[in-house]
Amino acid sequence: MSAGMESGTDQLLVVAAALVDADGRVLVQQRPEGKAMAGLWEFPGGKVEPGETPEAALIRELAEELGIATDQACLAPAAFASAPLGGRHLILLLYVCRKWRGIPEPREAPALKWVRPLALHGLAMPPADKPLIGLLDALL
């Protein structure tokens, strides 16, 4: 094993969604004040709880954060990122979702915005989200 990745490293499994509208734009939300990386733009999502599948976690997070409902069949695995985060190791699974019920509203974030995939490069985003932009741009 390489240095720093001893078997005792805690892994943090996080899921996120690239919600894509009819115009091919992607939804990002701003991280609230008081949270790590406050003010940065990110894909909506969150931690996978023990005993939860990534898809179930994402459906729950989208309901909590944006007030929208979607189904597992509407979540297409798109990309992943792997990065150190504090004393843990982050595994971020990104799904593309083009079908949901309801209108996304910022329930926990101060702001939402719809942007073209290429425009994501110009936004301040967490380091783990950055490598996903190019992959997303190629997919959409």
Side-chain angles (χ1 to χ4, degrees):
M1 280 194 217
S2 62
M5 277 306 294
E6 291 79 32
S7 56
T9 303
D10 273 343
Q11 288 193 353
L12 176 63
L13 186 60
V14 172
V15 285
L19 296 173
V20 183
D21 72 4
D23 293 329
R25 297 174 308 167
V26 178
L27 183 79
V28 287
Q29 64 183 11
Q30 198 168 27
R31 289 185 64 84
E33 287 303 316
K35 276 199 165 180
M37 299 184 267
L40 297 186
W41 294 90
E42 66 180 359
F43 301 111
K47 286 198 239 343
V48 178
E49 301 296 343
E52 205 174 30
T53 65
E55 294 81 7
L58 189 52
I59 290 166
R60 175 183 53 74
E61 288 283 354
L62 291 174
E64 289 172 6
E65 292 185 358
L66 301 174
I68 61 171
T70 190
D71 303 307
Q72 186 167 336
C74 300
L75 300 175
F80 77 94
S82 174
L85 184 70
R88 298 191 285 185
H89 195 83
L90 171 74
I91 309 280
L92 172 62
L93 305 176
L94 181 70
Y95 292 79
V96 169
C97 179
R98 295 174 186 271
K99 284 174 69 177
W100 60 86
R101 297 176 297 286
I103 295 167
E105 55 181 30
R107 295 197 168 172
E108 295 176 7
L112 301 177
K113 69 169 139 187
W114 292 95
V115 294
R116 302 237 164 253
L118 214 53
L120 290 170
H121 291 286
L123 291 179
M125 296 182 83
D129 288 31
K130 283 281 188 198
L132 301 172
I133 298 169
L135 297 167
L136 199 56
D137 198 27
L139 285 171
L140 304 177

